[in-house]
Amino acid sequence: MPIIVNLDVMMAKRKISSGELSERIEITPANLSILKNNKAKAIRFSTLEAICRELNCQPGDVLAYEPDEKEE
Amino acid sequence: MNHWTPSRSLKLTRLLNIATIFLGVAALFCIPICTEWYDAVSGQEPIRNLLNVIFYLTVFLALIALWKLNGLLSRIIHQQIFVSENVTVLRIISWCCFGISALFLFLTFYRFLAFIVAFAAGFFGLIMRVLKNVFELAVNLREEQDFTI
């Protein structure tokens, strides 16, 4: 999928662990892992809102668009 | 009082399916006797060898379909409904039906009544195909639901 979740980078910048973030945004560590490993197929606005609130960032800081090589 | 619960209907279906598998295995031993009897009473040109081949292949395909159906029912009982394994099973069952349909379509050249079985098997195969597509769509929707965070 050409949408990349850069959650790792933002978490490292904010020095926050996976366990702490999952607790703060009220999702399971397993679901946070799916999100971090780019396995997710969709993200709810409520989850994105919670991530942006807790990491003090914009949606564009955690999501990026990288076109597939085939499409180019 | 509602005694006809989904779990009971599933168990009954599985029981009947297992009984049909045993019947299918038993049929393997009876085919030569049945075809010999049919040739004797039909009054038409004898096609015993052809009937033997077609019936053995039909029972073989039917047993594959029934065995796969048994697995599907088992998974449904264990609440594994919209999984990719079930899609594969439905695809195999539909191909088995199409195979039986083709065999009986060939037999239609010798005995016209075989067309009824060919039509029924082909129709059932198509229904299985539609069901397979529905399951495939449901599996995709479930995956999307599971991977929406």
Side-chain angles (χ1 to χ4, degrees), chain A residues 34 39-44 47, chain B residues 140 143-149:
Chain A
I34 289 171
K39 297 264 173 66
K41 293 205 171 184
I43 181 166
R44 289 191 188 92
T47 311
Chain B
N140 287 340
E143 270 178 13
E144 202 158 296
Q145 171 87 13
D146 286 352
F147 287 97
T148 296
I149 312 296

Side-chain angles (χ1 to χ4, degrees), chain B residues 17-91:
Chain B
N17 188 53
I18 291 167
T20 318
I21 290 173
F22 277 111
L23 276 175
V25 173
L28 285 173
F29 299 100
C30 303
I31 286 170
I33 305 161
C34 291
T35 51
E36 190 181 5
W37 170 81
Y38 175 75
D39 257 357
V41 299
S42 70
Q44 298 177 56
E45 57 164 324
I47 49 163
R48 194 182 167 205
N49 289 339
L50 177 73
L51 280 177
N52 276 340
V53 171
I54 286 178
F55 285 174
Y56 272 117
L57 287 173
T58 299
V59 172
F60 177 70
L61 287 172
L63 282 175
I64 291 174
L66 287 167
W67 184 252
K68 290 290 171 188
L69 184 64
N70 192 48
L72 174 84
L73 290 170
S74 166
R75 269 191 292 276
I76 290 175
I77 286 170
H78 293 103
Q79 297 297 314
Q80 295 173 329
I81 302 163
F82 299 120
V83 292
S84 55
E85 286 92 340
N86 289 349
V87 176
T88 313
V89 162
L90 287 169
R91 183 184 288 124

